[in-house]
Amino acid sequence: MPRARRRRPSARPPRAAPLGAVVLAEPLLPAQAVDARFGLVLLEAGLCGVPIVATDIAPINAIIRNDQDGLLVPVNDYHALANAIQKIGSETGLSDRLRKNFSDRIAADFSKSTMTNSVNRIYFELLSSSES
């Protein structure tokens, strides 16, 4: 039997899509949201400058403000999901606005110091309430 020829890997890296064309779409069902880990992937994508389309459920809708930081779609509405992705690609300036707003919000509300201060405040409140 003749031996199959192996393809040599290309020396060129794959062509990257323009940044404005990349969208993080995270359609979650309510049961999956429990395991969404506070939407960490949304914050990571926001730091990378990726526009967000996600399901309008907690805790996601506490992180993404619809039409300000990203686009939220109803649970199980795949037409709305497709339309939101298409909207980001077709509306002039929408992708840039969403990315900038979310990046600014991450810097203000989800920085290491802000999160550390929030956790410390919760611990102090718990400790003071247990002493009463």
Side-chain angles (χ1 to χ4, degrees):
M1 231 163 120
R3 201 167 155 185
R5 293 184 73 190
R6 295 179 81 189
R7 291 184 72 193
R8 289 192 326 191
S10 171
R12 272 190 270 159
R15 199 176 88 180
L19 188 58
V22 177
V23 174
L24 172 69
E26 186 173 52
L28 293 176
L29 299 175
Q32 294 170 311
V34 173
D35 197 37
R37 303 191 189 274
F38 178 67
L40 185 58
V41 71
L42 299 174
L43 297 175
E44 291 168 341
L47 287 172
C48 292
V50 176
I52 309 293
V53 176
T55 307
D56 190 6
I57 54 174
I60 304 304
N61 53 14
I63 299 168
I64 302 294
R65 297 170 300 182
N66 191 38
D67 207 33
Q68 292 179 42
D69 307 314
L71 300 179
L72 297 175
V73 297
V75 174
N76 289 330
D77 190 340
Y78 300 104
H79 293 291
L81 177 63
N83 289 338
I85 294 169
Q86 192 171 32
K87 180 178 179 178
I88 286 178
S90 64
E91 279 191 25
T92 306
L94 178 61
S95 175
D96 292 337
R97 180 176 58 82
L98 295 176
R99 289 186 295 154
K100 181 181 181 333
N101 288 350
F102 195 36
S103 178
D104 292 348
R105 180 152 184 250
I106 290 170
D109 296 348
F110 299 103
S111 69
K112 187 191 301 185
S113 63
T114 301
M115 297 304 288
T116 302
N117 290 338
S118 295
V119 170
N120 285 340
R121 183 179 41 77
I122 291 168
Y123 282 141
F124 287 126
E125 286 174 8
L126 290 171
L127 286 172
S128 65
S129 68
S130 68
E131 293 174 355
S132 304

